[in-house]
Amino acid sequence: MLGAEVLRAALRAPLPRTLAAWCRCSSGVKSAPPPAPGALSPVWMSSPVRTLQLCSALCAGHNKWSKVKHIKGPKDEARGKMIMKLGLMIKIAVKEGGSNPDLNINLAHILEQCRNKNMPKASIEAVLKSAEKAKPVSQHTFEARGPGGCVLLIEVLTDSIARSHHDIKRLLNKNGGTLSDRLRHSFTKKGVVGAPGKTISTERALELAIEAGAEDVQETEDEEEQPLLKFMCDTTELNKVRASLEELGVQVVSSGTEFVPGNLLSLDPNQLDAASTLVDALNDCPDVVRVWDNIQAAS
Protein backbone atom coordinates (compact mmCIF):
# COMPACT_ATOMS: atom_id res chain seq x y z
CA MET A 1 0.00 0.00 0.00
CA LEU A 2 1.40 3.36 -1.00
CA GLY A 3 2.01 6.08 1.53
CA ALA A 4 0.30 9.44 1.31
CA GLU A 5 3.39 11.19 -0.10
CA VAL A 6 3.76 8.67 -2.93
CA LEU A 7 0.06 8.89 -3.73
CA ARG A 8 0.19 12.67 -3.85
CA ALA A 9 3.20 12.49 -6.13
CA ALA A 10 1.38 10.04 -8.36
CA LEU A 11 -1.67 12.25 -8.55
CA ARG A 12 0.48 15.30 -9.39
CA ALA A 13 1.85 13.40 -12.38
CA PRO A 14 -0.22 13.62 -15.61
CA LEU A 15 -2.46 10.76 -14.46
CA PRO A 16 -5.83 12.02 -15.71
CA ARG A 17 -4.56 12.14 -19.29
CA THR A 18 -3.32 8.58 -19.21
CA LEU A 19 -6.11 7.14 -17.07
CA ALA A 20 -8.28 6.72 -20.13
CA ALA A 21 -5.53 4.74 -21.82
CA TRP A 22 -5.50 2.33 -18.88
CA CYS A 23 -9.28 1.99 -18.85
CA ARG A 24 -10.67 -0.97 -20.73
CA CYS A 25 -13.62 1.07 -21.91
CA SER A 26 -11.68 3.86 -23.61
CA SER A 27 -11.21 4.06 -27.34
CA GLY A 28 -9.14 6.32 -29.54
CA VAL A 29 -7.05 7.65 -26.67
CA LYS A 30 -3.29 7.36 -26.97
CA SER A 31 -1.00 6.51 -24.08
CA ALA A 32 1.40 9.10 -22.73
CA PRO A 33 4.79 9.05 -24.56
CA PRO A 34 7.73 7.35 -22.85
CA PRO A 35 10.15 9.60 -20.91
CA ALA A 36 13.14 11.05 -22.72
CA PRO A 37 16.44 9.12 -22.47
CA GLY A 38 18.05 9.70 -19.09
CA ALA A 39 14.92 11.22 -17.60
CA LEU A 40 13.29 9.76 -14.51
CA SER A 41 9.97 8.03 -15.01
CA PRO A 42 7.02 9.46 -13.11
CA VAL A 43 6.09 7.59 -9.96
CA TRP A 44 2.93 6.15 -11.51
CA MET A 45 4.99 4.57 -14.32
CA SER A 46 7.80 3.14 -12.25
CA SER A 47 6.08 2.05 -9.03
CA PRO A 48 4.82 -1.56 -8.84
CA VAL A 49 1.21 -0.46 -8.37
CA ARG A 50 -1.74 -2.43 -9.77
CA THR A 51 -3.75 -0.58 -12.39
CA LEU A 52 -7.09 0.74 -11.17
CA GLN A 53 -9.78 1.56 -13.67
CA LEU A 54 -12.21 4.38 -13.10
CA CYS A 55 -14.26 3.89 -16.22
CA SER A 56 -16.57 6.85 -16.60
CA ALA A 57 -17.04 6.12 -20.31
CA LEU A 58 -18.06 2.52 -19.76
CA CYS A 59 -20.34 3.42 -16.90
CA ALA A 60 -21.86 6.38 -18.69
CA GLY A 61 -23.20 4.06 -21.37
CA HIS A 62 -24.42 1.64 -18.77
CA ASN A 63 -26.10 4.53 -16.93
CA LYS A 64 -28.26 5.20 -19.98
CA TRP A 65 -29.28 1.55 -19.98
CA SER A 66 -29.90 1.54 -16.23
CA LYS A 67 -32.26 4.49 -16.64
CA VAL A 68 -34.12 2.65 -19.39
CA LYS A 69 -34.45 -0.53 -17.35
CA HIS A 70 -35.66 1.11 -14.12
CA ILE A 71 -39.10 -0.15 -13.19
CA LYS A 72 -41.66 1.86 -15.12
CA GLY A 73 -44.98 3.22 -13.91
CA PRO A 74 -46.14 5.35 -11.01
CA LYS A 75 -43.72 5.83 -8.15
CA ASP A 76 -45.92 4.02 -5.66
CA GLU A 77 -46.09 0.98 -7.92
CA ALA A 78 -42.33 1.06 -8.46
CA ARG A 79 -41.77 1.34 -4.72
CA GLY A 80 -44.04 -1.65 -4.12
CA LYS A 81 -42.01 -3.74 -6.54
CA MET A 82 -38.76 -2.58 -4.95
CA ILE A 83 -39.96 -3.61 -1.49
CA MET A 84 -41.06 -6.98 -2.86
CA LYS A 85 -37.61 -7.61 -4.37
CA LEU A 86 -35.87 -6.54 -1.16
CA GLY A 87 -38.11 -8.99 0.68
CA LEU A 88 -36.96 -11.80 -1.61
CA MET A 89 -33.34 -10.84 -0.99
CA ILE A 90 -33.94 -11.00 2.75
CA LYS A 91 -35.42 -14.49 2.39
CA ILE A 92 -32.40 -15.67 0.41
CA ALA A 93 -30.02 -14.28 3.04
CA VAL A 94 -31.99 -15.92 5.86
CA LYS A 95 -32.04 -19.21 3.97
CA GLU A 96 -28.25 -19.10 3.51
CA GLY A 97 -27.15 -17.86 6.93
CA GLY A 98 -30.01 -17.54 9.40
CA SER A 99 -32.11 -14.63 10.62
CA ASN A 100 -29.60 -13.03 13.01
CA PRO A 101 -27.83 -10.15 11.20
CA ASP A 102 -25.09 -10.18 13.84
CA LEU A 103 -24.13 -13.66 12.62
CA ASN A 104 -25.18 -13.26 8.98
CA ILE A 105 -23.21 -10.44 7.35
CA ASN A 106 -25.02 -10.80 4.02
CA LEU A 107 -28.35 -10.29 5.78
CA ALA A 108 -26.90 -7.28 7.59
CA HIS A 109 -25.92 -5.71 4.25
CA ILE A 110 -29.39 -6.30 2.79
CA LEU A 111 -31.12 -4.87 5.86
CA GLU A 112 -28.93 -1.80 5.48
CA GLN A 113 -30.14 -1.44 1.89
CA CYS A 114 -33.73 -1.76 3.10
CA ARG A 115 -33.22 1.05 5.59
CA ASN A 116 -31.50 3.24 2.98
CA LYS A 117 -34.51 2.68 0.69
CA ASN A 118 -36.84 3.63 3.56
CA MET A 119 -38.49 0.23 3.69
CA PRO A 120 -40.82 0.33 6.72
CA LYS A 121 -39.47 -1.34 9.84
CA ALA A 122 -42.70 -3.29 10.23
CA SER A 123 -42.31 -4.67 6.69
CA ILE A 124 -38.74 -5.74 7.40
CA GLU A 125 -39.75 -7.50 10.61
CA ALA A 126 -42.67 -9.20 8.85
CA VAL A 127 -40.40 -10.52 6.09
CA LEU A 128 -37.86 -11.81 8.64
CA LYS A 129 -40.60 -13.56 10.60
CA SER A 130 -42.14 -15.14 7.50
CA ALA A 131 -38.71 -16.21 6.22
CA GLU A 132 -38.11 -18.22 9.39
CA LYS A 133 -41.44 -20.04 9.05
CA ALA A 134 -41.63 -20.29 5.26
CA LYS A 135 -41.86 -23.61 3.49
CA PRO A 136 -38.64 -24.84 1.89
CA VAL A 137 -37.54 -22.79 -1.11
CA SER A 138 -34.55 -22.98 -3.44
CA GLN A 139 -32.44 -20.38 -5.15
CA HIS A 140 -31.68 -20.79 -8.85
CA THR A 141 -30.10 -18.73 -11.63
CA PHE A 142 -31.35 -19.07 -15.20
CA GLU A 143 -29.06 -18.10 -18.08
CA ALA A 144 -30.57 -16.50 -21.16
CA ARG A 145 -29.95 -14.58 -24.36
CA GLY A 146 -31.98 -11.46 -25.01
CA PRO A 147 -32.51 -9.02 -27.89
CA GLY A 148 -29.35 -8.24 -29.81
CA GLY A 149 -27.55 -11.20 -28.25
CA CYS A 150 -27.30 -9.69 -24.77
CA VAL A 151 -26.69 -12.05 -21.85
CA LEU A 152 -29.03 -12.22 -18.86
CA LEU A 153 -28.64 -13.94 -15.52
CA ILE A 154 -32.04 -14.32 -13.88
CA GLU A 155 -31.90 -14.99 -10.15
CA VAL A 156 -35.02 -16.59 -8.66
CA LEU A 157 -36.24 -17.80 -5.27
CA THR A 158 -38.94 -20.42 -5.62
CA ASP A 159 -40.72 -23.36 -4.06
CA SER A 160 -41.08 -24.95 -7.51
CA ILE A 161 -38.20 -24.91 -9.99
CA ALA A 162 -40.45 -26.45 -12.64
CA ARG A 163 -43.00 -23.63 -12.33
CA SER A 164 -40.32 -20.94 -12.39
CA HIS A 165 -38.64 -22.56 -15.40
CA HIS A 166 -41.97 -22.55 -17.25
CA ASP A 167 -42.68 -18.90 -16.36
CA ILE A 168 -39.20 -17.66 -17.28
CA LYS A 169 -39.19 -19.58 -20.57
CA ARG A 170 -42.63 -18.18 -21.48
CA LEU A 171 -41.56 -14.59 -20.77
CA LEU A 172 -38.35 -15.01 -22.75
CA ASN A 173 -40.09 -16.54 -25.77
CA LYS A 174 -42.72 -13.80 -25.72
CA ASN A 175 -40.16 -10.98 -25.60
CA GLY A 176 -37.39 -12.03 -27.96
CA GLY A 177 -35.24 -14.06 -25.59
CA THR A 178 -34.32 -17.68 -25.07
CA LEU A 179 -32.87 -19.87 -22.35
CA SER A 180 -29.26 -20.83 -22.94
CA ASP A 181 -26.40 -22.66 -21.25
CA ARG A 182 -22.83 -21.83 -20.29
CA LEU A 183 -23.30 -18.06 -20.17
CA ARG A 184 -22.37 -17.50 -16.55
CA HIS A 185 -18.71 -17.24 -17.51
CA SER A 186 -19.59 -13.83 -19.02
CA PHE A 187 -19.92 -12.52 -15.46
CA THR A 188 -17.72 -12.48 -12.37
CA LYS A 189 -19.19 -12.32 -8.89
CA LYS A 190 -17.63 -9.33 -7.13
CA GLY A 191 -17.93 -7.53 -3.85
CA VAL A 192 -19.26 -4.01 -4.42
CA VAL A 193 -19.22 -1.12 -1.96
CA GLY A 194 -21.31 1.89 -2.95
CA ALA A 195 -20.61 5.48 -1.91
CA PRO A 196 -21.98 8.88 -2.98
CA GLY A 197 -19.78 10.33 -5.71
CA LYS A 198 -21.00 13.92 -5.76
CA THR A 199 -18.19 15.32 -3.61
CA ILE A 200 -15.38 12.90 -4.51
CA SER A 201 -13.12 13.71 -7.44
CA THR A 202 -11.72 11.14 -9.85
CA GLU A 203 -8.24 11.47 -8.33
CA ARG A 204 -9.57 11.08 -4.80
CA ALA A 205 -11.66 8.05 -5.79
CA LEU A 206 -8.55 6.34 -7.15
CA GLU A 207 -6.58 7.22 -4.05
CA LEU A 208 -9.35 5.81 -1.82
CA ALA A 209 -9.51 2.61 -3.87
CA ILE A 210 -5.76 2.06 -3.52
CA GLU A 211 -5.75 2.73 0.21
CA ALA A 212 -8.81 0.54 0.85
CA GLY A 213 -7.47 -2.37 -1.21
CA ALA A 214 -10.16 -2.27 -3.92
CA GLU A 215 -9.48 -3.78 -7.35
CA ASP A 216 -11.40 -1.17 -9.30
CA VAL A 217 -13.66 1.85 -8.88
CA GLN A 218 -16.44 2.81 -11.26
CA GLU A 219 -18.49 5.96 -11.68
CA THR A 220 -22.21 5.36 -12.15
CA GLU A 221 -25.55 6.66 -10.88
CA ASP A 222 -28.11 5.44 -8.37
CA GLU A 223 -31.87 5.08 -8.89
CA GLU A 224 -32.29 8.81 -8.24
CA GLU A 225 -29.67 9.60 -10.94
CA GLN A 226 -27.24 10.86 -8.30
CA PRO A 227 -23.47 10.21 -8.77
CA LEU A 228 -22.44 6.90 -7.23
CA LEU A 229 -19.01 5.31 -6.84
CA LYS A 230 -18.73 1.53 -6.86
CA PHE A 231 -15.58 0.13 -5.27
CA MET A 232 -15.07 -3.38 -6.67
CA CYS A 233 -13.21 -6.15 -4.85
CA ASP A 234 -13.03 -9.90 -4.41
CA THR A 235 -16.03 -11.21 -2.51
CA THR A 236 -13.78 -12.42 0.30
CA GLU A 237 -12.43 -8.87 0.77
CA LEU A 238 -15.83 -7.13 0.87
CA ASN A 239 -15.99 -6.50 4.61
CA LYS A 240 -12.35 -5.45 4.76
CA VAL A 241 -12.71 -2.95 1.90
CA ARG A 242 -15.90 -1.55 3.37
CA ALA A 243 -14.32 -1.09 6.79
CA SER A 244 -11.25 0.55 5.24
CA LEU A 245 -13.39 3.01 3.28
CA GLU A 246 -15.36 3.92 6.39
CA GLU A 247 -12.11 4.49 8.29
CA LEU A 248 -11.06 6.83 5.48
CA GLY A 249 -14.22 8.87 6.02
CA VAL A 250 -16.27 7.52 3.11
CA GLN A 251 -20.05 7.38 3.59
CA VAL A 252 -20.99 3.84 2.56
CA VAL A 253 -24.56 3.55 1.27
CA SER A 254 -24.51 -0.10 0.22
CA SER A 255 -22.35 -3.20 0.12
CA GLY A 256 -22.92 -6.67 -1.22
CA THR A 257 -22.17 -8.97 -4.12
CA GLU A 258 -23.01 -8.41 -7.76
CA PHE A 259 -22.52 -10.27 -11.02
CA VAL A 260 -20.26 -7.94 -13.01
CA PRO A 261 -20.07 -8.47 -16.79
CA GLY A 262 -16.63 -8.97 -18.31
CA ASN A 263 -17.61 -7.04 -21.43
CA LEU A 264 -20.58 -4.82 -22.16
CA LEU A 265 -22.62 -5.18 -25.34
CA SER A 266 -23.92 -2.11 -27.19
CA LEU A 267 -27.46 -2.31 -28.54
CA ASP A 268 -29.19 -0.07 -31.03
CA PRO A 269 -32.30 1.85 -29.90
CA ASN A 270 -34.76 -0.79 -31.12
CA GLN A 271 -32.84 -3.61 -29.45
CA LEU A 272 -32.55 -1.52 -26.29
CA ASP A 273 -36.31 -0.98 -26.18
CA ALA A 274 -36.90 -4.69 -26.69
CA ALA A 275 -34.40 -5.55 -23.94
CA SER A 276 -36.06 -3.07 -21.59
CA THR A 277 -39.46 -4.68 -22.22
CA LEU A 278 -38.01 -8.13 -21.56
CA VAL A 279 -36.25 -7.12 -18.33
CA ASP A 280 -39.40 -5.36 -17.09
CA ALA A 281 -41.43 -8.50 -17.79
CA LEU A 282 -38.92 -10.67 -15.94
CA ASN A 283 -38.84 -8.31 -12.97
CA ASP A 284 -42.62 -8.50 -12.76
CA CYS A 285 -42.40 -12.27 -12.24
CA PRO A 286 -43.01 -12.94 -8.51
CA ASP A 287 -40.18 -15.50 -8.29
CA VAL A 288 -37.52 -13.24 -9.83
CA VAL A 289 -35.18 -11.55 -7.37
CA ARG A 290 -32.75 -9.77 -9.71
CA VAL A 291 -31.81 -9.72 -13.39
CA TRP A 292 -28.16 -9.14 -14.27
CA ASP A 293 -27.18 -8.09 -17.78
CA ASN A 294 -24.22 -7.10 -19.93
CA ILE A 295 -25.98 -4.29 -21.77
CA GLN A 296 -24.46 -0.93 -22.61
CA ALA A 297 -26.67 1.62 -24.33
CA ALA A 298 -25.60 2.80 -27.75
CA SER A 299 -24.03 6.24 -27.42
Side-chain angles (χ1 to χ4, degrees):
M1 184 174 295
L2 296 179
E5 294 184 3
V6 177
L7 279 168
R8 283 194 290 269
L11 293 173
R12 284 196 297 267
L15 178 59
R17 295 185 180 180
T18 61
L19 180 62
W22 294 359
C23 182
R24 61 179 176 273
C25 59
S26 298
S27 59
V29 181
K30 295 182 179 180
S31 303
L40 293 176
S41 298
V43 174
W44 57 267
M45 291 181 65
S46 58
S47 300
V49 182
R50 64 185 182 280
T51 299
L52 292 180
Q53 303 165 338
L54 200 153
C55 304
S56 56
L58 177 151
C59 299
H62 199 260
N63 287 346
K64 296 177 185 177
W65 160 240
S66 67
K67 293 173 189 175
V68 172
K69 72 176 180 178
H70 281 164
I71 299 174
K72 298 177 182 178
K75 285 188 176 181
D76 55 347
E77 180 183 352
R79 178 169 172 76
K81 291 180 180 179
M82 178 189 69
I83 290 177
M84 181 182 70
K85 299 304 180 185
L86 288 170
L88 288 175
M89 293 168 65
I90 290 174
K91 290 180 179 179
I92 289 176
V94 170
K95 176 179 178 292
E96 293 177 342
S99 60
N100 186 348
D102 294 331
L103 303 176
N104 184 346
I105 191 64
N106 187 36
L107 176 61
H109 290 159
I110 294 171
L111 293 179
E112 179 184 45
Q113 292 182 46
C114 293
R115 289 189 288 269
N116 288 336
K117 300 297 183 184
N118 296 316
M119 183 174 177
K121 183 179 179 181
S123 298
I124 296 174
E125 292 175 349
V127 173
L128 286 169
K129 189 173 181 179
S130 65
E132 293 175 332
K133 300 179 179 179
K135 57 184 177 181
V137 292
S138 59
Q139 186 180 0
H140 188 76
T141 302
F142 293 98
E143 304 165 57
R145 289 275 183 190
C150 64
V151 178
L152 304 174
L153 295 185
I154 308 160
E155 185 179 351
V156 303
L157 184 69
T158 179
D159 57 1
S160 172
I161 292 292
R163 184 195 67 232
S164 296
H165 180 275
H166 177 270
D167 291 344
I168 297 299
K169 184 176 181 180
R170 174 180 57 82
L171 290 171
L172 288 168
N173 291 341
K174 183 179 178 181
N175 294 281
T178 182
L179 287 172
S180 188
D181 296 324
R182 297 184 292 275
L183 295 177
R184 200 171 307 197
H185 68 275
S186 300
F187 297 80
T188 303
K189 198 168 188 177
K190 290 288 185 182
V192 180
V193 181
K198 191 173 183 179
T199 61
I200 301 177
S201 67
T202 296
E203 291 83 358
R204 179 56 180 159
L206 287 166
E207 183 178 342
L208 288 168
I210 293 172
E211 292 188 17
E215 297 175 355
D216 193 3
V217 56
Q218 296 180 351
E219 289 178 324
T220 181
E221 292 179 349
D222 61 16
E223 293 87 346
E224 305 298 326
E225 301 185 11
Q226 295 300 309
L228 180 71
L229 291 173
K230 285 188 172 184
F231 294 89
M232 322 292 286
C233 62
D234 189 271
T235 55
T236 61
E237 297 292 312
L238 177 60
N239 295 332
K240 179 181 177 182
V241 170
R242 176 188 172 129
S244 297
L245 287 169
E246 289 177 331
E247 289 176 2
L248 291 166
V250 176
Q251 177 192 354
V252 173
V253 296
S254 65
S255 62
T257 57
E258 295 184 10
F259 282 104
V260 179
N263 295 290
L264 295 181
L265 178 68
S266 294
L267 301 181
D268 63 36
N270 291 334
Q271 293 170 337
L272 196 62
D273 287 342
S276 176
T277 299
L278 171 57
V279 171
D280 283 340
L282 291 169
N283 275 318
D284 284 340
C285 181
D287 292 343
V288 173
V289 181
R290 288 173 291 190
V291 180
W292 309 98
D293 65 77
N294 70 335
I295 301 170
Q296 177 178 359
S299 56

PDB file of all heavy atoms in Angstrom, residues 138-156:
ATOM      1  N   SER A 138     -35.899 -22.825  -2.869  1.00  0.00           N
ATOM      2  CA  SER A 138     -34.552 -22.981  -3.436  1.00  0.00           C
ATOM      3  C   SER A 138     -34.214 -21.769  -4.280  1.00  0.00           C
ATOM      4  O   SER A 138     -35.093 -21.105  -4.835  1.00  0.00           O
ATOM      5  CB  SER A 138     -34.450 -24.261  -4.274  1.00  0.00           C
ATOM      6  OG  SER A 138     -35.389 -24.233  -5.336  1.00  0.00           O
ATOM      7  N   GLN A 139     -32.944 -21.489  -4.355  1.00  0.00           N
ATOM      8  CA  GLN A 139     -32.440 -20.380  -5.153  1.00  0.00           C
ATOM      9  C   GLN A 139     -31.856 -20.948  -6.437  1.00  0.00           C
ATOM     10  O   GLN A 139     -31.149 -21.955  -6.430  1.00  0.00           O
ATOM     11  CB  GLN A 139     -31.373 -19.626  -4.368  1.00  0.00           C
ATOM     12  CG  GLN A 139     -30.860 -18.370  -5.030  1.00  0.00           C
ATOM     13  CD  GLN A 139     -29.805 -17.675  -4.170  1.00  0.00           C
ATOM     14  OE1 GLN A 139     -29.469 -18.135  -3.085  1.00  0.00           O
ATOM     15  NE2 GLN A 139     -29.274 -16.560  -4.661  1.00  0.00           N
ATOM     16  N   HIS A 140     -32.156 -20.296  -7.556  1.00  0.00           N
ATOM     17  CA  HIS A 140     -31.677 -20.791  -8.848  1.00  0.00           C
ATOM     18  C   HIS A 140     -31.398 -19.607  -9.765  1.00  0.00           C
ATOM     19  O   HIS A 140     -32.045 -18.561  -9.658  1.00  0.00           O
ATOM     20  CB  HIS A 140     -32.721 -21.717  -9.488  1.00  0.00           C
ATOM     21  CG  HIS A 140     -32.242 -22.409 -10.725  1.00  0.00           C
ATOM     22  ND1 HIS A 140     -31.376 -23.489 -10.676  1.00  0.00           N
ATOM     23  CD2 HIS A 140     -32.480 -22.172 -12.035  1.00  0.00           C
ATOM     24  CE1 HIS A 140     -31.127 -23.894 -11.908  1.00  0.00           C
ATOM     25  NE2 HIS A 140     -31.778 -23.110 -12.752  1.00  0.00           N
ATOM     26  N   THR A 141     -30.433 -19.776 -10.657  1.00  0.00           N
ATOM     27  CA  THR A 141     -30.103 -18.734 -11.627  1.00  0.00           C
ATOM     28  C   THR A 141     -30.258 -19.289 -13.037  1.00  0.00           C
ATOM     29  O   THR A 141     -29.595 -20.268 -13.407  1.00  0.00           O
ATOM     30  CB  THR A 141     -28.669 -18.214 -11.430  1.00  0.00           C
ATOM     31  OG1 THR A 141     -28.529 -17.699 -10.103  1.00  0.00           O
ATOM     32  CG2 THR A 141     -28.358 -17.097 -12.426  1.00  0.00           C
ATOM     33  N   PHE A 142     -31.151 -18.691 -13.801  1.00  0.00           N
ATOM     34  CA  PHE A 142     -31.347 -19.068 -15.199  1.00  0.00           C
ATOM     35  C   PHE A 142     -30.450 -18.211 -16.082  1.00  0.00           C
ATOM     36  O   PHE A 142     -30.267 -17.016 -15.821  1.00  0.00           O
ATOM     37  CB  PHE A 142     -32.810 -18.876 -15.618  1.00  0.00           C
ATOM     38  CG  PHE A 142     -33.778 -19.801 -14.944  1.00  0.00           C
ATOM     39  CD1 PHE A 142     -34.499 -19.386 -13.839  1.00  0.00           C
ATOM     40  CD2 PHE A 142     -33.967 -21.094 -15.406  1.00  0.00           C
ATOM     41  CE1 PHE A 142     -35.394 -20.231 -13.206  1.00  0.00           C
ATOM     42  CE2 PHE A 142     -34.857 -21.956 -14.783  1.00  0.00           C
ATOM     43  CZ  PHE A 142     -35.574 -21.527 -13.676  1.00  0.00           C
ATOM     44  N   GLU A 143     -29.906 -18.810 -17.120  1.00  0.00           N
ATOM     45  CA  GLU A 143     -29.059 -18.105 -18.084  1.00  0.00           C
ATOM     46  C   GLU A 143     -29.823 -17.952 -19.384  1.00  0.00           C
ATOM     47  O   GLU A 143     -30.465 -18.892 -19.844  1.00  0.00           O
ATOM     48  CB  GLU A 143     -27.769 -18.888 -18.315  1.00  0.00           C
ATOM     49  CG  GLU A 143     -26.990 -19.158 -17.029  1.00  0.00           C
ATOM     50  CD  GLU A 143     -25.921 -20.226 -17.211  1.00  0.00           C
ATOM     51  OE1 GLU A 143     -25.046 -20.053 -18.086  1.00  0.00           O
ATOM     52  OE2 GLU A 143     -25.965 -21.226 -16.478  1.00  0.00           O
ATOM     53  N   ALA A 144     -29.758 -16.757 -19.974  1.00  0.00           N
ATOM     54  CA  ALA A 144     -30.568 -16.504 -21.165  1.00  0.00           C
ATOM     55  C   ALA A 144     -29.890 -15.518 -22.104  1.00  0.00           C
ATOM     56  O   ALA A 144     -29.012 -14.736 -21.694  1.00  0.00           O
ATOM     57  CB  ALA A 144     -31.940 -15.970 -20.755  1.00  0.00           C
ATOM     58  N   ARG A 145     -30.316 -15.574 -23.359  1.00  0.00           N
ATOM     59  CA  ARG A 145     -29.950 -14.583 -24.361  1.00  0.00           C
ATOM     60  C   ARG A 145     -31.166 -13.702 -24.599  1.00  0.00           C
ATOM     61  O   ARG A 145     -32.292 -14.172 -24.665  1.00  0.00           O
ATOM     62  CB  ARG A 145     -29.568 -15.250 -25.684  1.00  0.00           C
ATOM     63  CG  ARG A 145     -28.253 -15.988 -25.669  1.00  0.00           C
ATOM     64  CD  ARG A 145     -27.093 -15.069 -25.935  1.00  0.00           C
ATOM     65  NE  ARG A 145     -25.821 -15.788 -25.996  1.00  0.00           N
ATOM     66  CZ  ARG A 145     -24.646 -15.197 -26.033  1.00  0.00           C
ATOM     67  NH1 ARG A 145     -24.562 -13.881 -26.033  1.00  0.00           N
ATOM     68  NH2 ARG A 145     -23.545 -15.909 -26.081  1.00  0.00           N
ATOM     69  N   GLY A 146     -30.914 -12.396 -24.743  1.00  0.00           N
ATOM     70  CA  GLY A 146     -31.983 -11.457 -25.006  1.00  0.00           C
ATOM     71  C   GLY A 146     -31.813 -10.776 -26.345  1.00  0.00           C
ATOM     72  O   GLY A 146     -30.959 -11.160 -27.152  1.00  0.00           O
ATOM     73  N   PRO A 147     -32.607  -9.752 -26.623  1.00  0.00           N
ATOM     74  CA  PRO A 147     -32.513  -9.021 -27.888  1.00  0.00           C
ATOM     75  C   PRO A 147     -31.100  -8.538 -28.171  1.00  0.00           C
ATOM     76  O   PRO A 147     -30.400  -8.062 -27.276  1.00  0.00           O
ATOM     77  CB  PRO A 147     -33.475  -7.840 -27.671  1.00  0.00           C
ATOM     78  CG  PRO A 147     -34.486  -8.367 -26.692  1.00  0.00           C
ATOM     79  CD  PRO A 147     -33.693  -9.252 -25.769  1.00  0.00           C
ATOM     80  N   GLY A 148     -30.677  -8.681 -29.415  1.00  0.00           N
ATOM     81  CA  GLY A 148     -29.349  -8.239 -29.807  1.00  0.00           C
ATOM     82  C   GLY A 148     -28.226  -9.127 -29.329  1.00  0.00           C
ATOM     83  O   GLY A 148     -27.065  -8.787 -29.471  1.00  0.00           O
ATOM     84  N   GLY A 149     -28.571 -10.290 -28.735  1.00  0.00           N
ATOM     85  CA  GLY A 149     -27.547 -11.204 -28.249  1.00  0.00           C
ATOM     86  C   GLY A 149     -27.054 -10.896 -26.857  1.00  0.00           C
ATOM     87  O   GLY A 149     -26.050 -11.467 -26.410  1.00  0.00           O
ATOM     88  N   CYS A 150     -27.734 -10.007 -26.130  1.00  0.00           N
ATOM     89  CA  CYS A 150     -27.305  -9.687 -24.768  1.00  0.00           C
ATOM     90  C   CYS A 150     -27.459 -10.909 -23.861  1.00  0.00           C
ATOM     91  O   CYS A 150     -28.249 -11.814 -24.135  1.00  0.00           O
ATOM     92  CB  CYS A 150     -28.114  -8.512 -24.209  1.00  0.00           C
ATOM     93  SG  CYS A 150     -29.869  -8.821 -24.004  1.00  0.00           S
ATOM     94  N   VAL A 151     -26.675 -10.929 -22.790  1.00  0.00           N
ATOM     95  CA  VAL A 151     -26.686 -12.048 -21.850  1.00  0.00           C
ATOM     96  C   VAL A 151     -27.401 -11.614 -20.573  1.00  0.00           C
ATOM     97  O   VAL A 151     -27.161 -10.525 -20.052  1.00  0.00           O
ATOM     98  CB  VAL A 151     -25.247 -12.498 -21.515  1.00  0.00           C
ATOM     99  CG1 VAL A 151     -25.270 -13.639 -20.501  1.00  0.00           C
ATOM    100  CG2 VAL A 151     -24.525 -12.929 -22.784  1.00  0.00           C
ATOM    101  N   LEU A 152     -28.280 -12.487 -20.083  1.00  0.00           N
ATOM    102  CA  LEU A 152     -29.033 -12.217 -18.864  1.00  0.00           C
ATOM    103  C   LEU A 152     -28.831 -13.354 -17.869  1.00  0.00           C
ATOM    104  O   LEU A 152     -28.869 -14.521 -18.248  1.00  0.00           O
ATOM    105  CB  LEU A 152     -30.530 -12.083 -19.159  1.00  0.00           C
ATOM    106  CG  LEU A 152     -30.957 -11.046 -20.204  1.00  0.00           C
ATOM    107  CD1 LEU A 152     -32.455 -11.162 -20.460  1.00  0.00           C
ATOM    108  CD2 LEU A 152     -30.600  -9.643 -19.752  1.00  0.00           C
ATOM    109  N   LEU A 153     -28.600 -12.990 -16.623  1.00  0.00           N
ATOM    110  CA  LEU A 153     -28.637 -13.944 -15.519  1.00  0.00           C
ATOM    111  C   LEU A 153     -29.864 -13.600 -14.679  1.00  0.00           C
ATOM    112  O   LEU A 153     -29.983 -12.474 -14.194  1.00  0.00           O
ATOM    113  CB  LEU A 153     -27.377 -13.862 -14.661  1.00  0.00           C
ATOM    114  CG  LEU A 153     -26.046 -14.256 -15.310  1.00  0.00           C
ATOM    115  CD1 LEU A 153     -24.936 -14.234 -14.265  1.00  0.00           C
ATOM    116  CD2 LEU A 153     -26.126 -15.627 -15.956  1.00  0.00           C
ATOM    117  N   ILE A 154     -30.763 -14.569 -14.534  1.00  0.00           N
ATOM    118  CA  ILE A 154     -32.045 -14.324 -13.875  1.00  0.00           C
ATOM    119  C   ILE A 154     -32.068 -15.097 -12.566  1.00  0.00           C
ATOM    120  O   ILE A 154     -32.157 -16.328 -12.560  1.00  0.00           O
ATOM    121  CB  ILE A 154     -33.206 -14.755 -14.788  1.00  0.00           C
ATOM    122  CG1 ILE A 154     -33.060 -14.113 -16.162  1.00  0.00           C
ATOM    123  CG2 ILE A 154     -34.549 -14.412 -14.153  1.00  0.00           C
ATOM    124  CD1 ILE A 154     -33.839 -14.805 -17.258  1.00  0.00           C
ATOM    125  N   GLU A 155     -31.962 -14.380 -11.473  1.00  0.00           N
ATOM    126  CA  GLU A 155     -31.897 -14.993 -10.148  1.00  0.00           C
ATOM    127  C   GLU A 155     -33.312 -15.139  -9.591  1.00  0.00           C
ATOM    128  O   GLU A 155     -34.073 -14.160  -9.536  1.00  0.00           O
ATOM    129  CB  GLU A 155     -31.052 -14.121  -9.229  1.00  0.00           C
ATOM    130  CG  GLU A 155     -30.809 -14.697  -7.850  1.00  0.00           C
ATOM    131  CD  GLU A 155     -29.954 -13.791  -6.992  1.00  0.00           C
ATOM    132  OE1 GLU A 155     -29.406 -12.801  -7.523  1.00  0.00           O
ATOM    133  OE2 GLU A 155     -29.836 -14.078  -5.784  1.00  0.00           O
ATOM    134  N   VAL A 156     -33.682 -16.352  -9.188  1.00  0.00           N
ATOM    135  CA  VAL A 156     -35.024 -16.591  -8.664  1.00  0.00           C
ATOM    136  C   VAL A 156     -34.957 -17.264  -7.300  1.00  0.00           C
ATOM    137  O   VAL A 156     -33.976 -17.918  -6.954  1.00  0.00           O
ATOM    138  CB  VAL A 156     -35.871 -17.460  -9.627  1.00  0.00           C
ATOM    139  CG1 VAL A 156     -35.975 -16.830 -11.003  1.00  0.00           C
ATOM    140  CG2 VAL A 156     -35.302 -18.874  -9.729  1.00  0.00           C
TER     141      VAL A 156
END
